[in-house]
């Protein structure tokens, strides 16, 4: 039985009924059909949010076998409901790039998913489209200003760093030339496209505190330089108001439901390997205003999404998790231990033991932030008793809590032990959140702190372009911004082939992009691209719709 088959067995409740479970009336929400709604910012209650217990779900380094972090996040929230707690899960929105590419959707799976699955994975409430339009409006205004003879800021087209975006994997758009066709068609220059999830507008929307803050951040976007070497920002082009107007609805979090009929908030969708990888501050604070326990997730492993969640989002928003769940699978650990991808369903305790150092490093990373982690084993039918016992023995030796969760097969009932252990951690009040670095540190020291303490690197080296970027950052007075490192998700290092727990490597920073509006710097390492490509056989080959409007092939 597929995830879609399971979802279709569920009777969707009207979204007004879901809102009622949060103490909201139909007048408090803005309906998007029967099963989706927008939530106005007025719902956020700082006093209530301060009392909510925030729980972060992360994972080991991702593998082709999959870890199920979203599935675990949803299952944990359901498990909390099962043990009598008022809980909510707050997630990111799926990007169409992975949906039609190789990763698939991002709505969980089995009996631990959010609904309506097809709507959420395809367009949803149009947030990504609005972000794309706001981003590309700025790009159009930049090129229009360069072309203009009567309203020109004297922008040097060679210095413009603002690209265009679209929500699709398309490697052919990474580097393009625009402005061809003669004098009336613009000034020719080289540029390119990023995927919408990597847009600075996405990052801004996910970090903004309110509409005023959103407009301020939009105005702070760095564009390039004039021929007189003066910096140009979006506010100089007087476009931040129009961009904010396009984001009027997109800035509001979305309310949906889990397969067990409990509330879920979904909002924003930055990737964690090329952006900050967390849902919006507004969505998180809204969840914390409406529930006693707020479960959220951060993309990929604890070296990426969790680090950025803690060092950027938490410091920016003034929040901190009380506990961190590290999702792992026996299959993934065997892969990190050298087992062949084709043989991961076969019992192999030796490979499992060889892969445990990856889990160990992610546990250490969470502990470095002063937060107590718990290992959540996302159980598969192929997991043997000996393999499960191996992880539990490892956890015992490390004095770390561990729970076997069967959320795909059993939903919330399969996460009751995990939920209770998380509550126990919170009630023991062991969290003493400490960021990995101070924003006031020099940029290179901030990068080194993450590289050596979180990734396990021995050193950091900078390409010539990155060194030039550092001088630009200093000239613009942006050295006090945090760093949002773009790195492969497949390895703790910047080399995707180094699985497990690599050590002694040197992290190479190729360039450093400036996201002054979002409020961080983006050191780009290794061969990371901000516009992915499609695989030889993209998931789109399997997606179809019949005459009755039923969609098939989504996963």
């Amino acid at each position: 039985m597929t995830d879609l088959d399971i979802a279709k067995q569920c009777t969707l409740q009207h979204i007004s009924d879901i809102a009622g479970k949060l103490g909201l009336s139909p007048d408090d929400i803005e309906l998007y059909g029967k099963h989706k709604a927008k939530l106005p910012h007025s719902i956020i209650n700082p006093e209530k949010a301060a009392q909510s217990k925030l729980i972060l779900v992360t994972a080991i380094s991702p593998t082709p076998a999959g870890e199920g972090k979203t599935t675990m996040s949803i299952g944990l929230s359901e498990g909390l409901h099962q043990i009598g707690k008022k809980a909510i899960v707050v997630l990111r929105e799926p990007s169409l790039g992975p949906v039609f590419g190789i990763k698939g959707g991002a709505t969980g799976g089995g009996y631990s998913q959010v609904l309506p699955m097809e709507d959420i994975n395809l367009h949803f409430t149009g947030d990504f489209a609005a972000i794309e339009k706001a981003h590309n409006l700025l790009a159009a205004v930049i090129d229009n200003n360069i072309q203009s003879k009567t309203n020109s800021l004297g922008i040097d087209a060679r210095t413009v760093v603002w690209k265009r975006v679209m929500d699709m994997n398309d490697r052919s758009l990474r580097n393009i030339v625009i402005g061809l066709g003669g004098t009336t068609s613009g000034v020719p220059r080289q540029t390119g496209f990023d995927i919408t999830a990597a847009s600075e507008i996405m990052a801004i929307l996910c970090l903004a505190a309110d509409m005023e803050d959103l407009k301020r951040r939009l105005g702070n976007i760095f564009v390039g330089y004039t021929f007189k070497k003066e910096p140009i920002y979006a506010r100089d082009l007087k476009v931040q108001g129009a961009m904010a107007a396009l984001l009027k609805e997109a800035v509001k979090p979305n309310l949906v439901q889990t397969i067990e009929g409990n509330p879920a908030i979904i909002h924003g969708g930055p990737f964690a390997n090329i952006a900050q990888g967390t849902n919006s501050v507004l969505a998180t604070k809204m969840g914390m205003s409406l529930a006693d326990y707020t479960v959220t997730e951060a993309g990929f492993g604890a070296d990426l999404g969790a680090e950025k969640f803690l060092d950027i989002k938490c410091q920016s928003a003034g929040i901190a998790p009380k506990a961190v769940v590290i999702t792992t699978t026996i299959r993934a650990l065997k892969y990190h231990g050298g087992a062949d991808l084709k043989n991961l369903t076969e019992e192999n305790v030796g490979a499992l033991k060889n892969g445990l150092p990856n889990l160990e490093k992610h546990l250490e990373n969470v502990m470095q932030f002063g937060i107590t982690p718990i290992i959540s084993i996302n159980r598969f039918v192929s997991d043997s008793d000996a393999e499960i016992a191996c992880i539990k023995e490892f956890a015992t030796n490390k004095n770390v809590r561990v729970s076997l969760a069967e959320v795909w097969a059993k939903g919330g009932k399969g996460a009751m032990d995990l939920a209770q252990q998380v509550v126990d951690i919170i009630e023991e009040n062991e969290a003493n959140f400490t960021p990995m670095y101070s924003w006031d540190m020099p940029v290179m020291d901030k990068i080194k702190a993450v590289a050596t303490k979180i990734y396990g690197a021995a050193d950091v080296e900078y390409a010539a372009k990155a060194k030039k970027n550092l001088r630009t950052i200093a000239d613009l007075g942006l050295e006090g911004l945090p760093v949002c490192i773009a790195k492969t998700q497949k390895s703790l290092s910047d080399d995707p082939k180094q699985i497990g727990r690599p050590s002694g490597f040197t992290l190479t920073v190729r360039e450093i992009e400036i996201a002054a509006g979002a409020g961080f710097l983006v050191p780009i390492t290794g061969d990371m691209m901000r516009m992915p490509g499609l695989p030889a056989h993209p998931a789109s080959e399997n997606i179809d719709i019949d005459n009755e409007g039923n969609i098939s092939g989504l996963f």
Side-chain angles (χ1 to χ4, degrees), residues 238-261:
K238 302 176 183 177
V239 70
Q240 69 270 29
M243 294 165 70
L246 283 170
L247 299 171
K248 174 178 176 288
E249 298 302 318
V251 77
K252 300 172 185 176
N254 306 288
L255 178 66
V256 290
Q257 61 191 287
T258 67
I259 201 166
E260 295 184 8

Side-chain angles (χ1 to χ4, degrees), residues 305-317:
E307 183 274 320
K308 295 167 183 177
F309 179 93
L310 295 165
D311 278 326
I312 298 176
K313 179 174 178 176
C314 286
Q315 291 202 73
S316 176

